[in-house]
């Protein structure tokens, strides 16, 4: 079964070619195309343009997922990506075990129980994505909390950040994979601390909708 | 402005009158066929009056002087180049008649070896047309009237070009309309190839037009050309468009495909030495009737202890390296 996360997630996390960041490459260099099925269609144009080297993190295998890779990057501390990968693998193992247990117990609806941890991670992130946020805007000497829309990238970032934050708020003896697994399962089901945080934010935005026009003054 | 005065004077026979009329007209030369003074009629052939001395403005004078000096200068430079070429051919022992620019480059590189990094800083001998920037020929005539209708824009060539692009675009749009009405479609076989090309960069366009162009103006040129190229019938204006397309280098065509060798078992193989990645060095051998197995220093893919490294090295890619 192909990993749905590879195909389902949109390519919003890729850095736009139009943003000029610090780079060892001159500005006319383009990003490489790693996906094999896209290489034949777009490869012809790229053969005449200098291409940047593909990052080590990218590959065109069933093991790669764009959102999963981004999540790994957020788990990584002090460049220890190998440890982050181990932790996430253990997290996925725990998720899988839990879900299979639920499936075998047969209490819940059998079709609805998803056992694939990658899919559950994607679902968790999508469910906990905020769409609006509050921004402090000063009008007439008073700072109002004005609801403003979030860009896609920012909302994905916040979702993943909140899930990890919730997972790290734990007792010393509890291991991260355990806590993270439970947070992901909760968020995928639409319950838990992360979903509560998102809903609180949305509720605040709703109550402050009167100030929405302050965005443009 | 020169005034050409055509004077037709019927002059009476009276010579005195003739003399006085000559004085009145002030230098109007009239050829008078005078017969005897007793004649009653005199036929005067009218000729253009002495052309008034054209008052050429100082600016015009200076311009003409500069233009002439430049022409003289270029002539001497061309002559020097030709003589130099013959000397060089003589030195190299080659035939002076068939001495091409490439031969010149080789000869100069041999006689004046240079270790300078930038190729443009090294000694070179090129035709004066390439060395000295092109100048526009006279843009106006002796009377000061410009030849180009857009002379007073300051950049007649550039704006003429933009007008031409728009004309072509309109032509193609009209063609598209007519084809749609008839139910015809554009010919896919003749489609304009733009993949390996880019629009002429600003510096090259400036050299082409012999005019200085602002960045905004270059952008408008680019957007107009993109519009023209995007038309489905762009291949009809191929000659016009291709003047402004610069070919890009195909990276893959620069690479040399190595020839396979045969080993003891009769299998073909290719070994690439000194493959680099950071401080790692590897000699990679690929065999053609292969098994798909990877061996690294005697070990299989578990040589890479990190899972991420193993994922990065996709097995399909290795087999795809076809000789």
């Amino acid at each position: 079964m192909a990993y749905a996360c590879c195909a389902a997630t949109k390519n919003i996390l890729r850095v736009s070619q139009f943003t000029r960041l610090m780079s060892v490459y001159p500005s006319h260099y383009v990003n490489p195309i790693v996906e094999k099925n896209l290489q034949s269609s777009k490869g012809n144009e790229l053969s005449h343009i200098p291409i940047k080297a593909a990052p080590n993190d990218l590959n065109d295998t069933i093991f790669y997922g764009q959102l999963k890779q981004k999540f790994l990057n957020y788990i990584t501390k002090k460049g220890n990506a190998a440890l982050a990968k181990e932790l996430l693998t253990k997290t996925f193992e725990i998720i899988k075990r839990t879900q299979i247990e639920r499936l075998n117990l047969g209490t819940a609806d059998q079709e609805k129980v998803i056992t694939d941890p990658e899919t559950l991670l994607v679902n968790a992130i999508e469910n906990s994505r905020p769409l609006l946020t509050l921004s402090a805007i000063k009008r007439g000497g008073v700072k109002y909390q004005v609801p403003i829309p979030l860009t896609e990238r920012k909302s994905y970032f916040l979702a993943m950040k909140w899930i990890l934050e919730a997972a790290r708020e734990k007792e010393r003896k509890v291991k991260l994979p355990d806590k993270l697994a439970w947070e992901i399962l909760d968020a995928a089901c639409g319950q838990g601390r992360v979903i509560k945080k998102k809903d609180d934010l949305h509720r605040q935005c709703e109550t402050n909708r009167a100030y929405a026009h302050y965005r443009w003054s | 402005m020169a005034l050409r005065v055509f004077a037709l004077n019927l002059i009476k026979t009276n010579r005195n009158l003739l003399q006085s009329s000559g004085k009145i007209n002030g230098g109007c030369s009239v050829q008078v066929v005078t017969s005897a003074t007793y004649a009653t009629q005199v036929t005067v052939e009218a000729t253009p009056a002495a052309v008034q001395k054209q008052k050429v403005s100082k600016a015009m004078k200076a311009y003409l002087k500069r233009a002439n000096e430049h022409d003289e200068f270029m002539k001497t430079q061309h002559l020097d180049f030709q003589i130099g070429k013959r000397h060089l051919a003589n030195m190299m022992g080659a035939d002076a008649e068939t001495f091409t620019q490439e031969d010149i480059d080789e000869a100069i590189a041999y006689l004046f070896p240079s270790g300078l990094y930038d190729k443009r800083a090294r000694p070179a001998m090129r035709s004066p047309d390439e060395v000295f920037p092109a100048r526009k020929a006279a843009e106006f005539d002796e009377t000061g009237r410009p030849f180009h209708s857009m002379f007073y824009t300051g950049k007649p060539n550039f704006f003429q070009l933009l007008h031409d692009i728009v004309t072509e675009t309109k032509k193609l749009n009209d063609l598209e309309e007519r084809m749609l009405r008839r139910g015809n479609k554009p010919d896919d076989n003749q489609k304009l190839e733009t993949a390996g090309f880019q629009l002429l960069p600003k510096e090259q366009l400036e050299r082409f037009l012999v005019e200085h162009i602002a960045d905004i103006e270059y952008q408008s040129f680019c957007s107009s050309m993109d519009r023209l190229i995007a038309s489905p019938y762009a291949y009809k204006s191929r000659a016009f468009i291709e003047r402004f397309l610069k070919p890009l280098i195909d990276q893959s065509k620069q690479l040399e495909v190595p020839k396979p060798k045969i080993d003891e078992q009769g299998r073909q193989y290719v070994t690439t030495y000194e493959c680099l990645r950071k401080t790692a060095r590897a000699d990679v051998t690929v065999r053609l009737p292969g098994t798909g197995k990877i061996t690294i220093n005697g070990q299989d893919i578990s040589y890479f202890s990190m899972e991420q490294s193993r994922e990065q090295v996709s097995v399909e890619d290795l087999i795809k390296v076809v000789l």
Side-chain angles (χ1 to χ4, degrees), chain A residues 26-92:
Chain A
S27 48
H28 62 275
Y29 273 64
V30 295
N31 288 330
I33 297 174
V34 187
E35 300 84 13
K36 272 231 153 34
N37 51 351
L38 295 174
Q39 272 173 2
S40 46
S41 55
K42 290 188 189 172
N44 199 26
E45 293 161 17
L46 286 195
S47 63
H48 299 100
I49 311 170
I51 312 171
K52 300 180 198 173
N56 288 350
D57 298 335
L58 287 186
N59 51 67
D60 188 30
T61 59
I62 51 169
F63 308 112
Y64 179 78
Q66 204 201 5
L67 219 51
K68 179 184 159 193
Q69 187 57 48
K70 209 64 180 173
F71 200 68
L72 265 172
N73 291 346
Y74 292 141
I75 300 172
T76 311
K77 278 190 182 177
K78 290 186 179 176
N80 201 347
L83 178 62
K85 186 109 196 215
E86 271 181 42
L87 292 169
L88 194 63
T89 315
K90 283 179 186 162
T91 310
F92 282 173

Side-chain angles (χ1 to χ4, degrees), chain B residues 226-246:
Chain B
D226 287 337
R227 205 101 184 265
L228 178 61
I229 291 166
S231 163
Y233 289 92
Y235 58 87
K236 296 271 180 185
S237 306
R238 188 186 293 271
F240 178 81
I241 293 167
E242 280 183 353
R243 285 192 292 159
F244 303 103
L245 287 180
K246 183 183 152 193

Side-chain angles (χ1 to χ4, degrees), chain A residues 36 44-45 47-50 54-61 63-64 68 82 85 89, chain B residues 193 195-197 248-253 277-278 306-308 311-312 314 316-317 320:
Chain A
K36 272 231 153 34
N44 199 26
E45 293 161 17
S47 63
H48 299 100
I49 311 170
N56 288 350
D57 298 335
L58 287 186
N59 51 67
D60 188 30
T61 59
F63 308 112
Y64 179 78
K68 179 184 159 193
K85 186 109 196 215
T89 315
Chain B
E193 189 57 62
F197 297 89
L248 294 167
I249 316 165
D250 193 339
Q251 301 288 341
S252 57
K253 285 181 185 153
R277 172 71 180 125
K278 291 190 174 179
M306 269 182 71
E307 197 184 313
Q308 194 261 308
E311 281 174 18
Q312 207 182 335
S314 168
E316 291 165 43
D317 289 336
K320 276 234 164 172

Side-chain angles (χ1 to χ4, degrees), chain B residues 105-214:
Chain B
D105 294 337
E106 275 179 34
I108 296 288
Y110 170 72
L111 293 167
F112 303 99
S114 168
L116 292 171
Y117 177 79
D118 195 348
K119 294 232 169 102
R120 293 175 294 179
R122 295 182 191 172
M125 190 169 127
R126 282 190 296 275
S127 162
D129 295 322
E130 290 170 49
V131 176
F132 299 104
R135 271 198 200 187
K136 282 189 184 174
E139 295 176 87
F140 38 83
D141 62 14
E142 318 157 313
T143 60
R145 191 162 189 229
F147 295 122
H148 205 295
S149 59
M150 292 187 209
F151 170 78
Y152 290 109
T153 61
K155 301 173 195 184
N157 291 346
F158 174 71
F159 288 108
Q160 184 62 51
L161 172 63
L162 289 184
H163 277 265
D164 289 341
I165 295 171
V166 169
T167 316
E168 289 288 327
T169 315
K170 281 195 178 153
K171 248 201 283 180
L172 294 180
N173 286 347
D174 293 338
L175 176 66
E176 204 183 335
E177 288 267 306
R178 289 203 303 274
M179 290 301 196
L180 278 171
R181 253 184 261 132
R182 286 185 220 159
N184 291 348
K185 283 195 182 155
D187 191 359
D188 278 331
N189 298 332
Q190 291 186 51
K191 194 162 181 243
L192 206 65
E193 189 57 62
T194 50
F197 297 89
Q198 66 167 172
L199 276 178
L200 225 54
K202 185 162 166 274
E203 292 81 26
Q204 288 198 21
L205 186 66
E206 282 183 343
R207 253 181 277 138
F208 178 81
L209 297 169
V210 198
E211 273 166 15
H212 179 71
I213 305 169

Side-chain angles (χ1 to χ4, degrees), chain A residues 115-126:
Chain A
T115 53
D116 179 26
E118 268 93 340
T119 317
L120 283 169
L121 174 66
V122 171
N123 290 350
I125 294 167
E126 293 280 353

Side-chain angles (χ1 to χ4, degrees), chain A residues 94-109:
Chain A
I94 294 163
I95 293 174
K96 187 93 188 202
R97 283 182 188 281
T98 320
Q99 290 298 88
I100 286 180
E101 196 182 327
R102 282 192 187 146
L103 190 71
N104 292 340
L105 280 172
T107 44
D109 202 350

